[in-house]
Amino acid sequence: MQDYREFLSEILISEEQLQARIAELGEQISRDYANQDLLLVCILRGGVLFLTDLMRQIAVPHAIDFMAVSSYGIGARQSSGQARINLDINTDIRDRNVLLVEDIVDSGYTLEAVLSLLKTRRPKTLRTCVLLDKTERREIDIPVDYVGFTIPNIFVFGYGLDIDEHYRNLPFIGVIDLKKYKAL
Ligand code: IMP
Ligand code: MG
């Protein structure tokens, strides 16, 4: 695999900007759920870095669980308009306050698939927290309750987001220069 410096065109959101915004989101969530039960459900794999930083900024006691969803259809860097649940949570969410934690909302189909499944289990509340929102790309209207950053329609990587399953570990959000990236 290439070193990311070979195809990084710019750092869109720095580590400092990410951490400062996540601290604000954590404060807001702590206020909104004060004295209430809270379960964070992280969508694998991209949401993992966001979850672990966010939960350290949430002052109310809370539990965590995980789901995995894959889009399928066209290529790895295109949303396909369909999403399949590959891993379900183990927690019984009936009458609980559930907050979904996701890296990015693009077309909206991933969150829509998760929301419609979890709704059938009758949680007390069901909300969404996304780090990045590509509003221009939305194809389906879904409620996004907490947003880190709204970004333009460009392919980004790092901080949980992958290019061909790599580079999720980078502490910032970078923009890919597609001409310089050698696809697998
Ligand atoms: P949606 O179902 O179209 O909303 O797509 C959401 C999923 O597409 C995210 O969970 C990501 O895995 C992936 N995705 C969308 N845009 C990007 C990007 O710019 N970089 C990396 N992954 C992305
Ligand atoms: Mg994802």
Side-chain angles (χ1 to χ4, degrees), residues 132-166:
L132 307 176
D133 187 351
K134 274 190 197 172
T135 48
E136 285 169 43
R137 296 252 313 162
R138 199 63 38 81
E139 285 174 33
I140 165 170
D141 191 30
I142 47 136
V144 183
D145 300 287
Y146 302 94
V147 182
F149 302 87
T150 297
I151 65 165
N153 179 17
I154 45 176
F155 193 82
V156 292
F157 67 100
Y159 199 73
L161 293 124
D162 71 301
I163 306 172
D164 298 330
E165 288 302 327
H166 291 72

Side-chain angles (χ1 to χ4, degrees), residues 23-42:
E24 289 175 354
L25 289 172
E27 273 176 38
Q28 199 185 339
I29 291 165
S30 303
R31 277 196 302 277
D32 295 351
Y33 291 89
N35 303 310
Q36 290 184 64
D37 151 69
L38 176 60
L39 171 69
L40 303 179
V41 173
C42 173

